[in-house]
């Protein structure tokens, strides 16, 4: 009986790990993290209507290129190419203001993290089955 409880506990813990890798946060209480890439700075203002105003300010020599925003959002005013943009978030997000001094010849990494999480989850499940088979055999 002790072995069966151990196996059930291990499987439950591994299932929790797998579900946490794909969990989606609630859109209530969303936040945005801002940063600048290059010679500039970023200001963010939380507006009373639940939107955020992002302002990119360039420093000497560099020009504003655009925003890179990761997250679920809607543009209320402005555009990804304008230094002042107002957005409404549906989830937590990050925004990076890019300035000319930070542009390189290489392309940024794109894609999502579903495949690595799926591989890790699969390997974790294989490990659980191997351990449970060993425990049951004893």
């Amino acid at each position: 009986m002790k072995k069966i409880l151990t196996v059930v506990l291990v499987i439950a813990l591994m299932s929790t790990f797998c579900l946490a890798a794909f969990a989606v946060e609630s859109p209530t209480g969303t936040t945005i993290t801002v940063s600048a890439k290059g010679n500039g700075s970023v200001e963010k203002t939380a507006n009373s209507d639940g939107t955020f105003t992002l302002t990119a300010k360039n420093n000497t020599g560099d020009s504003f290129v655009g925003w890179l925003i990761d997250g679920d959002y809607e543009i209320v005013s402005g555009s990804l190419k304008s230094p002042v943009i107002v957005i409404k978030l549906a989830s937590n997000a990050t925004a990076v203001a890019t300035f000319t001094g930070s542009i390189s010849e290489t392309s940024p990494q794109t894609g999502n993290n579903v495949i690595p999480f799926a591989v890790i989850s699969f390997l974790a499940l294989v490990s659980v089955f191997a351990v449970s088979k060993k425990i049951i055999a004893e």
Side-chain angles (χ1 to χ4, degrees):
M1 184 69 173
K2 187 176 181 182
K3 292 178 184 178
I4 293 172
L5 287 176
T6 304
V7 170
V8 170
L9 179 62
V10 169
I11 291 172
L13 289 173
M14 294 310 296
S15 298
T16 303
F17 167 76
C18 294
L19 291 175
F22 296 103
V24 177
E25 291 186 29
S26 168
T28 59
T30 57
T31 60
I32 186 162
T33 304
V34 296
S35 62
K37 184 174 182 182
N39 195 14
S41 61
V42 179
E43 292 180 3
K44 74 173 177 178
T45 305
N47 303 317
S48 60
D49 62 355
T51 61
F52 290 92
T53 301
L54 308 179
T55 306
K57 296 183 177 184
N58 62 317
N59 294 338
T60 9
D62 287 353
S63 299
F64 175 73
V65 175
W67 293 100
L68 298 172
I69 303 176
D70 184 25
D72 191 9
Y73 67 95
E74 173 188 346
I75 297 175
V76 177
S77 69
S79 73
L80 294 176
K81 297 292 182 186
S82 61
V84 178
I85 186 172
V86 178
I87 61 173
K88 183 176 183 178
L89 299 178
S91 68
N92 291 339
T94 58
V96 179
T98 306
F99 297 89
T100 53
S102 64
I103 297 175
S104 68
E105 297 297 321
T106 59
S107 297
Q109 179 181 355
T110 59
N112 59 38
N113 295 328
V114 172
I115 292 175
F117 282 127
V119 170
I120 290 170
S121 299
F122 175 75
L123 293 174
L125 288 174
V126 168
S127 299
V128 166
F129 288 122
V131 169
S132 23
K133 185 176 179 181
K134 184 176 180 181
I135 290 173
I136 292 171
E138 293 176 351

